[in-house]
Amino acid sequence: MERDTIVKEVVEALKMFSRDIRTQIDEMGSQLRAEIQDTANQLRAEIQDTANQLRAEMQDTANQLRAEMQQFRAEVNERFDRLEQKFAGLRVELTETQETVHFLASKTIQHEKKLHHLAKQLESVR
């Protein structure tokens, strides 16, 4: 009987030890889940912060590019305006030159006609 009592006491001690281990494992599991949740929350917060920083940097870059594009457009427009003014001046000069050439050509023809006429008169006088 003593043997049965000892076995029962050992079995009871093992059951208590087993419950203690299960309790400790459950507590450790709970702590681990809590730590994992905290780490996950921290990571989410860091990812959100990084995403916000990237968005802000992208917006700054986009704004800077827009400003540079506007400045570039203004410079290009200014240059085109200057070219248009130069071409307008060249057109005026070309038109005036054409008018002068036409005038000189008509005068040259008039003088040639007079010279032919005078040459005929000289021939008829001789």
Side-chain angles (χ1 to χ4, degrees), residues 109-125:
I109 291 172
Q110 286 177 359
H111 289 304
E112 284 180 2
K113 285 181 182 177
K114 274 189 178 179
L115 287 173
H116 284 313
H117 181 66
L118 288 174
K120 283 184 183 178
Q121 283 180 347
L122 275 175
E123 282 181 19
S124 63
V125 173

Side-chain angles (χ1 to χ4, degrees), residues 58-80:
M58 288 171 51
Q59 187 63 43
D60 289 345
T61 301
N63 291 341
Q64 184 179 0
L65 285 174
R66 282 189 205 105
E68 289 176 8
M69 283 297 293
Q70 288 175 345
Q71 182 181 358
F72 178 74
R73 283 185 183 140
E75 289 175 12
V76 168
N77 286 340
E78 181 182 333
R79 287 182 179 185
F80 275 126

Side-chain angles (χ1 to χ4, degrees), residues 15-30:
K15 284 182 182 177
M16 283 178 39
F17 182 72
S18 174
R19 277 185 288 229
D20 286 345
I21 289 177
R22 280 191 192 119
T23 303
Q24 289 176 1
I25 288 173
D26 288 344
E27 287 175 3
M28 287 173 37
S30 295

Side-chain angles (χ1 to χ4, degrees), residues 73-110:
R73 283 185 183 140
E75 289 175 12
V76 168
N77 286 340
E78 181 182 333
R79 287 182 179 185
F80 275 126
D81 289 345
R82 281 187 272 163
L83 282 175
E84 286 175 357
Q85 289 173 353
K86 282 184 182 180
F87 282 130
L90 289 174
R91 281 189 198 106
V92 168
E93 288 180 25
L94 180 61
T95 301
E96 290 173 353
T97 302
Q98 286 174 333
E99 290 172 357
T100 303
V101 167
H102 288 303
F103 175 76
L104 292 174
S106 68
K107 286 298 179 182
T108 302
I109 291 172
Q110 286 177 359

